[in-house]
Amino acid sequence: MMEYGFDTFLLLVAAAGAAGFIDAMAGGGGLITLPALLTAGVPPVAALGTNKLQSTFGTATAAFRFARAGHVDIRRMGVPILCTLAGAGAGALTVQVIDPAVLAAILPGLLIIIAGHFLLSPRMTDEDRTRRVGAFGFGVAAGSVGFYDGFFGPGAGSFYMLAFILLAGLGLLRATAHTKVLNFASNIVALAVLAAGGHVLWITGLAMALANMVGATIGASTAMRFGARVIRPLLALMSVALTIKMVSDSANPLAQYLRIQ
């Protein structure tokens, strides 16, 4: 059990609600909840595990809302889901023995590229386009993002989204909907692995999960109502915000390098 006050507990719950809303539309909810858990004094790996617990409920809620509205073709998701599960499991095992700061050093540049693509591409609409890879090729991409999600997490939704748009040819709204399915798959297996290692604060995580579900419900409804008009700029904003957060983190090797220069 962690030793923190009720006011801190309430702030964690509020952070989870805000994260669920943002995550349902654009991903990047971990940008809010993971730093909040770390600030509350939760050890890094336990923070990752607890964050997976609360986000699993949120992504499940958002995925269900999108699927019920007919925005998910679950028949074509078998291979990507299996690859995502395998990748996330491997990532969650790896994070328990390797410092995730190593991976964090290269992510800011990737996120800036993603933000630029979402913001500047003239083709970013809700209309589907031609699929560029087959099931196996997309499965490899999904498994790679799944590994990252299990290993570290924040920004995984943006990478899933980019894969669905560039490789599977989906429009923004359907890409968002399918992203939630894979996000749920990677979250649930990473949660299982981290929980087995004793790295989850259950009371805090479940309280945050309830708030995340409320936020995810509102966020999914907002995304379906406004589509690309709200998803596109929010994706760019969250990618830039995550980049700034990572570069400003004193533990990030890239931040240390920039200070030396």
Side-chain angles (χ1 to χ4, degrees):
M1 293 293 295
M2 296 301 302
E3 296 293 335
Y4 47 70
F6 188 64
D7 55 341
T8 300
F9 177 80
L10 291 179
L11 286 174
L12 290 174
V13 171
F21 176 79
I22 291 173
D23 216 28
M25 291 192 291
L31 172 63
I32 298 173
T33 51
L34 195 55
L37 286 162
L38 292 171
T39 300
V42 181
V45 179
L48 287 172
T50 306
N51 186 55
K52 287 301 175 191
L53 172 60
Q54 64 91 28
S55 62
T56 294
F57 282 82
T59 52
T61 300
F64 174 76
R65 293 276 296 180
F66 282 120
R68 190 173 67 173
H71 297 297
V72 177
D73 184 1
I74 199 66
R75 295 171 301 176
R76 302 177 62 182
M77 293 292 288
V79 172
I81 288 174
L82 290 175
C83 291
T84 299
L85 292 172
L93 288 171
T94 304
V95 76
Q96 299 180 61
V97 295
I98 295 180
D99 187 355
V102 176
L103 182 60
I106 66 173
L107 288 176
L110 294 177
L111 287 165
I112 286 294
I113 293 174
I114 289 175
H117 179 80
F118 283 136
L119 193 59
L120 301 176
S121 174
R123 301 179 60 193
M124 301 293 285
T125 69
D126 289 328
E127 298 298 321
D128 289 350
R129 295 175 299 279
T130 303
R131 187 182 183 96
R132 297 185 178 181
V133 298
F136 177 78
F138 188 82
V140 171
S144 300
V145 180
F147 178 87
Y148 165 71
D149 200 13
F151 184 79
F152 190 60
S158 297
F159 294 119
Y160 282 129
M161 183 83 71
L162 194 65
F164 275 116
I165 292 170
L166 294 184
L167 302 181
L170 298 186
L172 271 175
L173 180 57
R174 282 188 6 105
T176 301
H178 286 76
T179 288
K180 295 305 113 185
V181 175
L182 293 191
N183 241 161
F184 171 69
S186 56
N187 279 340
I188 194 69
V189 72
L191 171 61
V193 173
L194 290 168
H199 300 295
V200 176
L201 304 182
W202 291 98
I203 295 177
T204 298
L206 288 172
M208 294 176 70
L210 290 175
N212 196 293
M213 290 172 67
V214 174
T217 299
I218 299 171
S221 298
T222 303
M224 286 186 284
R225 179 178 180 183
F226 296 104
R229 287 180 295 165
V230 66
I231 296 172
R232 177 174 169 174
L234 190 56
L235 280 166
L237 176 63
M238 293 309 298
S239 296
V240 171
L242 184 57
T243 300
I244 293 172
K245 174 64 179 66
M246 288 181 172
V247 172
S248 63
D249 186 352
S250 60
N252 191 308
L254 178 60
Q256 296 171 3
Y257 173 79
L258 292 174
R259 279 195 295 274
I260 294 174
Q261 300 304 309

